[in-house]
Amino acid sequence: AIPCLGRAFSDGFGQASFSRGFGLTTIISLPFVALGVIGSAKAGANGSFAPAIMAVVGFFMLAIVLGLYSATGPKVGSAPAVPSPA
């Protein structure tokens, strides 16, 4: 999925706004990374990784739902990233 990330940003935001879309995604993912670090530290201290694993499963399920929603095709009013040749 990672090699497709650049293509998805280019298609979704357009080539001119690629860096803005990538930065926005990085800002959105930052809290999840922080929660992962804090959760693994707490799980290591408690001796049980079950809550951390269940949280990751929940995040994966959310990602699947959002991925399927975004894969339904272009939304109404969206322009293609690359104009078709005339």
Side-chain angles (χ1 to χ4, degrees):
I2 292 176
C4 298
L5 194 59
R7 175 66 188 258
F9 288 147
S10 179
D11 289 348
F13 292 99
Q15 291 179 352
S17 299
F18 174 81
S19 61
R20 184 178 301 161
F22 192 78
L24 179 64
T25 303
T26 303
I27 290 173
I28 290 171
S29 67
L30 187 62
F32 296 108
V33 172
L35 285 175
V37 172
I38 294 168
S40 63
K42 288 183 81 173
N46 293 339
S48 173
F49 286 97
I53 291 172
M54 293 306 293
V56 169
V57 168
F59 284 135
F60 283 159
M61 293 176 77
L62 178 65
I64 288 171
V65 169
L66 293 175
L68 289 174
Y69 174 74
S70 67
T72 58
K75 306 299 183 263
V76 175
S78 64
V82 179
S84 58

